Amino acid sequence: MDEEAKRPVFGNRFLSETDNVFQHNAWDNVEWTKEQETEARKITQGHSCEPLPEDEKDNLLNDASSNWDKFYEKHNNKFFKDRHWLFTEFPELLSITSKSASSVDDTAECSHNDDEGHAPCSNKSDGLHFPGSSKQSCVLEIGCGAGNTIFPLLQVNTSNELFVYGCDYSSTAVDIIKSHRDFDDSRCHVFAHDITSDAKFPFPEQSLDIIVMIFVLSALEFDKMKAAVHRIVQLLKPGGKLLFRDYGRYDMAQLRFKKNRCLSENFYTRGDGTLVYFFTQDEVRDIFTSAGLVENQNIVDRRLQVNRARQLKMYRVWVQAKYVKPL
Ligand SMILES: C[S@@+](CC[C@H](N)C(=O)[O-])C[C@H]1O[C@@H](n2cnc3c(N)ncnc32)[C@H](O)[C@@H]1O
């Protein structure tokens, strides 16, 4: 695991004079030259020419969740920083409650939508009881890890109408969240769940206003992504949103992989056995639109991070996207 997920708050600092590169720690929206792109392609082609032997691949795929358990046993909740940039990039996480709480009458029929096409239907009216069933606005984080998104979200959005679910296939991660001093089961429900399985979720389909996927889809085998996303999308209310951020193709973390870490094109194992895929924008688009979602945003975020002391330049690449479930 590397530094990418510890990314600081997004900025708006643009590098206009290349000579100034070591004057700051990071630059936003950095343009890549053709040569840089060609070099990156060459490096990654080299990786996939020397993939891991089949039996090692099988072991890594079979042990994927236990390797994440070991990761959390080792790092507990100390590895990822809390994601306060979430609210800059995904203000929807704050606005869902301000909209639905003010506009919803519990007895209203579920066919009524607000002016942004968001269906303000609570789960209250159908008589089912499950964690969060009395709440108006429900968010699920998939691959919630040790809670670095869930806790900031609950801290910043204090609406009584918000309920947050979190799932992760590492039961160690789930236990870390449950034992956190701020964990409050009247506002939050976390559970172990593997999104490549067809196990049931602890709430009905069409219950969620927002699904958050941050650096999680990249942990799956590429061939399993579409089916997983298709299942997840059933959980969204019509008008609900899926917020996505993950590793982009040719990110520094990809280019730095040594030989024999590649399972298949653009899919690697880190030293601790956890797995990571590096996406293009088109792949992300295809995965989510194939599941019936409509694109709101799909951007490549390129950032140049600088180690001023060691005069090192690190080119980071992430894909960020937002998709909506049609009404
Ligand atoms: C890179 S970590 C990101 C954690 C968290 N989203 C964050 O940004 O701090 C990836 C997480 O996805 C989880 N994960 C990987 N594959 C999964 C799967 N098939 N189902 C559920 N969770 C999974 C891992 O256990 C790990 O906690």
Side-chain angles (χ1 to χ4, degrees):
M1 180 71 58
D2 53 57
E3 293 281 312
E4 69 271 34
K6 299 180 178 180
R7 190 178 194 285
V9 177
F10 286 37
N12 280 305
R13 184 176 286 133
F14 307 113
L15 180 63
S16 46
E17 297 291 331
T18 43
D19 289 351
N20 295 343
V21 65
F22 292 112
Q23 284 184 6
H24 292 284
N25 292 331
W27 301 94
D28 295 295
N29 294 346
V30 188
E31 302 254 341
W32 277 42
T33 62
K34 276 224 164 63
E35 295 73 38
Q36 200 175 356
E37 188 104 18
T38 307
E39 179 58 23
R41 188 172 313 114
K42 240 201 262 165
I43 294 173
T44 57
Q45 281 167 351
H47 290 154
S48 42
C49 289
E50 291 185 57
L52 282 162
E54 286 304 318
D55 55 336
E56 272 189 58
K57 276 190 213 175
D58 290 346
N59 289 342
L60 283 162
L61 292 168
N62 291 335
D63 296 344
S65 66
S66 54
N67 285 331
W68 277 110
D69 278 334
K70 286 183 197 141
F71 172 88
Y72 288 110
E73 275 154 27
K74 181 169 171 199
H75 298 285
N76 199 277
N77 59 359
K78 302 286 179 286
F79 187 83
F80 300 111
K81 286 212 177 84
D82 282 354
R83 302 269 160 78
H84 288 285
W85 54 260
L86 267 180
F87 309 109
T88 321
E89 296 303 313
F90 299 137
E92 296 84 351
L93 290 169
L94 302 181
S95 60
I96 42 158
T97 41
S98 51
K99 278 197 193 98
S100 55
S102 58
S103 62
V104 169
D105 162 6
D106 288 353
T107 58
E109 289 199 3
C110 281
S111 56
H112 122 240
N113 300 307
D114 69 15
D115 54 4
E116 285 200 22
H118 188 85
C121 298
S122 83
N123 301 315
K124 299 173 187 175
S125 52
D126 56 16
L128 288 176
H129 289 282
F130 50 89
S133 57
S134 65
K135 300 290 183 164
Q136 197 62 56
S137 301
C138 295
V139 174
L140 165 67
E141 190 193 7
I142 298 198
C144 57
N148 300 81
T149 295
I150 287 183
F151 289 115
L153 173 57
L154 289 167
Q155 195 187 6
V156 174
N157 188 336
T158 54
S159 166
N160 279 338
E161 284 307 331
L162 176 68
F163 197 81
V164 179
Y165 302 100
C167 72
D168 200 292
Y169 72 175
S170 161
S171 49
T172 309
V174 170
D175 290 342
I176 289 171
I177 296 187
K178 284 186 178 165
S179 58
H180 193 287
R181 64 179 186 285
D182 294 337
F183 181 73
D184 174 354
D185 63 5
S186 70
R187 302 185 67 208
C188 178
H189 179 71
V190 287
F191 52 99
H193 185 99
D194 179 350
I195 55 164
T196 64
S197 76
D198 53 14
K200 284 218 168 332
F201 284 84
F203 46 81
E205 293 186 348
Q206 305 204 7
S207 299
L208 303 174
D209 296 82
I210 294 182
I211 293 175
V212 182
M213 299 183 81
I214 298 178
F215 299 109
V216 56
L217 200 60
S218 52
L220 270 57
E221 280 174 86
F222 191 78
D223 290 348
K224 295 197 170 166
M225 291 181 191
K226 276 194 180 173
V229 167
H230 182 84
R231 275 189 293 270
I232 290 162
V233 164
Q234 310 315 309
L235 306 172
L236 275 179
K237 294 174 185 172
K241 278 196 177 169
L242 192 144
L243 309 178
F244 173 89
R245 187 169 175 89
D246 218 319
Y247 301 94
R249 185 72 46 85
Y250 307 150
D251 178 50
M252 175 196 81
Q254 177 175 16
L255 301 183
R256 275 190 178 174
F257 272 109
K258 301 269 182 302
K259 287 193 173 142
N260 282 321
R261 308 308 298 166
C262 187
L263 282 78
S264 55
E265 273 184 60
N266 306 302
F267 190 45
Y268 299 80
T269 175
R270 303 181 180 98
D272 59 9
T274 60
L275 304 173
V276 59
Y277 186 82
F278 295 85
F279 292 96
T280 63
Q281 267 177 299
D282 286 346
E283 286 168 348
V284 170
R285 176 170 300 122
D286 182 43
I287 289 166
F288 290 109
T289 56
S290 299
L293 300 181
V294 175
E295 190 168 287
N296 242 205
Q297 182 191 61
N298 180 328
I299 54 169
V300 178
D301 179 7
R302 295 178 191 279
R303 179 173 254 239
L304 171 57
Q305 292 174 347
V306 174
N307 182 324
R308 292 156 83 186
R310 294 168 60 205
Q311 300 270 295
L312 283 179
K313 291 196 252 176
M314 296 166 285
Y315 287 89
R316 308 311 318 261
V317 186
W318 298 278
V319 179
Q320 180 171 299
K322 302 181 185 184
Y323 288 88
V324 182
K325 185 166 178 175
L327 296 171

